[in-house]
Amino acid sequence: MLRRDGAAGPQVLLSRRAGPVYAAGLWHLPAGHLEDPHERHLEALVREAREETGVAIAPATDHPPESSRPEAEVRRFAEQAVGRIARWTDTSWAREGSRVWRTQGAAGGTWYVKVHLNGRFHSREVSALRTWVPQLGVAAPELVAADAQLRAVVVTAVPGRPPHGAAFPPEEKRRLFHRIGALASAVHRSAPAQPAAADQGSASEKLERHLRRARSHLAPGDEEFLRTLVRRAQGLPGLERVPTHGDFQLRNLLLDEDGDLAVIDFERSERGPAIRDIVRLCDTWAGRPDLYDVFFAGYGRKLTPAEEERLTIDSALDAVSGIQYGASHGDPEVLERGHRTLTRLRAQDDLP
């Protein structure tokens, strides 16, 4: 929000949508989105204000303080890998535990340095980047260096910006989802599939764990719906395990100017059923069966009946997990997505 003091009191700058766009002719606050998934929020604010309104915000506010750089040992680790770094830009997500910097080398070049929240995330990302991710080619970053003690990695920069929050004409959005389907298929085919695990984890145990914090935030009937789904899961066959990203959603995808798509951030990757990567995409095609159809056209196959059933159950578990996380961490976006998903699943599911 751009505000100034005027003669008659505070003034807020509004702009009016023009052309063949959503909500044409309506007034709105200047808005935009991150240029890439690691652009700092302050950088995005300055850039979007200039691009959308012509307002220039003082450059002095656009420089991160020295304290935004990582600790000295992380800086030494990164410079041993890529040479002297001239600029560190904190590009962490505005979420607990996110520590990411975009770095520019003194002799040129751009890399990202990431410090993981815990050893599990670190080992998952490093393992993925060393094993199956190289099969994706230019559709993913390359691992430059890793340090298990620091829980830090240096990876190459991938061009593009996340499609999350961007507006696309209908046909262009269908092409995008076809590419997303093809990329998901490439991830799942990057290493041979393995048989289903003997113990894929108890859906009932997961539900009880999430309900302890989410119960007070659920709508009437939600808990009964969830328990019915979990009972239904007990008779389902196991699904084969493939490489999965673990957080395959629009904010972790990059779309470049040529329309090529890439995926980043592999700290949640592990072998599991392919539907693990489809759960968080379902919200993006809700009410848009055409996007669902083109995604699976790009994916190369439809889901089996067992996968369809498991997708409903896992989507519900992910929703209640999001509700408890969003409520306890003050994250309204995740909280709202969880409620929206449960509402959608209850509306479309035909429980016996």
Side-chain angles (χ1 to χ4, degrees):
M1 181 181 292
L2 298 175
R3 176 188 179 279
R4 71 178 182 185
D5 293 323
Q11 297 177 329
V12 174
L13 181 64
L14 299 177
S15 58
R16 194 173 190 179
R17 295 186 182 274
V21 297
Y22 172 75
L26 298 182
W27 294 95
H28 70 106
L29 291 169
H33 52 270
L34 300 181
E35 185 72 32
D36 67 59
H38 300 303
E39 183 179 28
R40 291 188 309 120
H41 291 78
L42 180 59
E43 287 181 327
L45 182 152
V46 172
R47 176 181 53 75
E48 290 287 358
R50 182 180 63 252
E51 293 175 358
E52 297 293 326
T53 68
V55 173
I57 296 176
T61 65
D62 190 34
H63 293 289
E66 180 72 14
S67 59
S68 70
R69 299 195 304 171
E71 50 269 33
E73 55 266 35
V74 173
R75 299 201 300 270
R76 283 195 297 271
F77 154 72
E79 292 189 329
Q80 287 172 357
V82 301
R84 191 170 71 84
I85 294 174
R87 181 176 175 83
W88 292 82
T89 304
D90 189 341
T91 56
S92 307
W93 288 106
R95 286 183 177 164
E96 181 182 1
S98 177
R99 301 185 66 204
V100 183
W101 295 264
R102 183 174 61 245
T103 67
Q104 294 173 295
T110 302
W111 299 269
Y112 283 94
V113 177
K114 180 177 184 180
V115 177
H116 294 98
L117 178 63
N118 55 52
R120 187 182 187 191
F121 283 174
H122 178 78
S123 62
R124 282 177 169 181
E125 182 139 21
V126 171
S127 176
L129 290 168
R130 285 176 172 167
T131 55
W132 59 266
V133 171
Q135 302 301 314
L136 303 179
V138 296
E142 297 178 15
L143 179 65
V144 177
D147 187 305
Q149 185 173 357
L150 296 174
R151 301 195 308 272
V153 294
V154 179
V155 299
T156 57
V158 179
R161 58 193 299 173
H164 174 69
F168 296 94
E171 187 55 39
E172 187 176 341
K173 192 161 189 176
R174 283 190 284 270
R175 288 195 296 269
L176 169 64
F177 272 76
H178 189 277
R179 294 187 184 103
I180 294 173
L183 181 56
S185 178
V187 168
H188 299 157
R189 292 183 293 103
S190 61
Q194 295 180 356
D199 179 15
Q200 297 194 42
S202 168
S204 178
E205 290 177 3
K206 291 179 182 177
L207 177 61
E208 293 303 326
R209 185 170 65 249
H210 297 324
L211 280 176
R212 282 196 289 271
R213 292 186 176 180
R215 183 175 283 111
S216 62
H217 301 278
L218 297 180
D222 280 352
E223 183 171 347
E224 181 182 355
F225 171 75
L226 289 163
R227 292 191 182 281
T228 303
L229 283 182
V230 165
R231 287 194 296 270
R232 209 163 69 183
Q234 296 173 357
L236 292 178
L239 302 175
E240 67 178 13
R241 296 177 300 131
V242 298
T244 66
H245 179 271
D247 195 16
F248 198 76
Q249 55 179 311
L250 297 186
R251 72 186 181 102
N252 285 326
L253 303 179
L254 298 178
L255 182 66
D256 70 15
E257 294 180 353
D258 297 323
D260 294 322
L261 203 63
V263 59
I264 59 170
D265 194 0
F266 297 89
E267 65 182 28
R268 297 181 184 274
S269 66
E270 63 180 354
R271 279 191 174 270
I275 55 103
R276 183 171 184 257
D277 281 342
I278 299 175
V279 165
R280 292 189 177 177
L281 288 174
C282 292
D283 190 55
T284 65
W285 57 56
R288 290 289 304 273
D290 57 325
L291 298 183
Y292 174 93
D293 290 340
V294 295
F295 171 86
F296 283 104
Y299 192 68
R301 70 174 180 88
K302 293 285 189 180
L303 297 180
T304 66
E307 286 176 318
E308 289 277 10
E309 183 77 2
R310 189 74 218 193
L311 179 61
T312 297
I313 295 164
D314 285 6
S315 294
L317 290 174
D318 184 71
V320 73
S321 172
I323 290 171
Q324 67 90 14
Y325 178 91
S328 61
H329 289 77
D331 192 325
E333 180 183 354
V334 174
L335 180 64
E336 171 58 26
R337 186 181 67 198
H339 284 301
R340 190 168 59 242
T341 297
L342 278 185
T343 300
R344 171 174 56 81
L345 292 174
R346 290 184 62 179
Q348 70 186 29
D349 198 77
D350 183 20
L351 290 173

